[in-house]
Amino acid sequence: MAKNFESDIKKIRARARKHIEDGAVTAGYRAHRETVIKLLNEALATEIVCVLRYRRHHFTATGINAQTVAAEFLLHANEEQAHADLIAGRIVQLGGAPNFSPEGLATRSHAEYHDGEDLTEMIREDLVAERIAIDSYGEVIRYLGSDDPTTRRMLEGILAMEEEHADDLVSLLEEFGKGK
Ligand SMILES: [Fe+2]
């Protein structure tokens, strides 16, 4: 039997006129806003740590194959920066404050920062970090369910790119890594 759709437009109109300073967050917003903002600030910290780690690897990659791998590190670093910007924008839209503070950044981040001694270790550490991000985003997406479709869709888009990053790094490890 088809699900009945009922909507009280008068009620929605009246509600929309209240708290207009809340902008995109209406009375119909179903997720727990403080929790979502906290989770997004952890995701923001994770992206920033990934930007820093990829950039470090880009500038310090050495060896015969370094140029190709270094270029990939830079591409990933810039894509992580774009993720950080998306997340910061959504935190503001939800009425929160994006936490860019270096203070506690490594603690807020799910992924770890590693200098990486050689090319193989750099690729491995970046792959581990991507796998951590993939699992973290998966958990937040499941937590959101259908309570905040906009944040969920944004995170689904980011998750798809982290999976591409992980795929790229596996290929680099096979091609250039010594498979320690
Ligand atoms: Fe990312």
Side-chain angles (χ1 to χ4, degrees):
M1 199 164 81
K3 220 168 48 172
N4 232 3
F5 174 75
E6 277 175 29
S7 174
D8 185 339
I9 294 300
K10 273 211 182 86
K11 209 165 109 190
I12 289 176
R13 284 181 182 150
R15 263 190 346 205
R17 288 185 179 285
K18 289 188 189 130
H19 311 296
I20 58 170
E21 68 283 356
D22 285 350
V25 184
T26 66
Y29 183 78
R30 296 224 311 254
H32 186 260
R33 189 149 55 140
E34 287 69 28
T35 303
V36 174
I37 290 166
K38 179 180 171 292
L39 293 172
L40 288 179
N41 263 317
E42 289 173 12
L44 176 59
T46 304
E47 295 292 351
I48 295 169
V49 166
C50 289
V51 170
L52 296 172
R53 198 192 54 254
Y54 272 126
R55 262 198 152 70
R56 155 79 186 195
H57 293 171
H58 165 71
F59 285 109
T60 56
T62 52
I64 38 171
N65 307 309
Q67 237 177 350
T68 317
V69 182
E72 190 79 26
F73 288 154
L74 184 62
L75 179 68
H76 286 193
N78 293 337
E79 289 171 347
E80 307 298 12
Q81 182 60 59
H83 295 165
D85 293 347
L86 275 178
I87 293 166
R90 183 60 182 164
I91 291 171
V92 171
Q93 223 179 32
L94 291 172
N99 188 349
F100 284 94
S101 169
E103 197 79 34
L105 182 70
T107 315
R108 294 195 303 281
S109 172
H110 298 169
E112 295 169 294
Y113 178 88
H114 282 276
D115 283 343
E117 289 310 311
D118 58 31
L119 214 50
T120 303
E121 194 181 307
M122 290 175 192
I123 299 170
R124 289 179 75 85
E125 288 302 335
D126 292 331
L127 180 51
V128 169
E130 292 295 355
R131 291 166 58 80
I132 291 168
I134 288 165
D135 271 0
S136 299
Y137 281 126
E139 284 186 359
V140 179
I141 286 165
R142 283 187 291 279
Y143 166 77
L144 290 170
S146 59
D147 291 345
D148 182 343
T150 304
T151 303
R152 181 192 167 115
R153 210 171 29 249
M154 175 189 76
L155 296 182
E156 285 173 344
I158 292 174
L159 172 59
M161 285 186 75
E162 310 302 15
E163 290 171 345
E164 270 177 43
H165 286 173
D167 216 31
D168 297 339
L169 293 162
V170 167
S171 311
L172 287 179
L173 203 55
E174 281 161 5
E175 205 174 332
F176 300 120
K178 293 188 251 3
K180 273 192 273 181

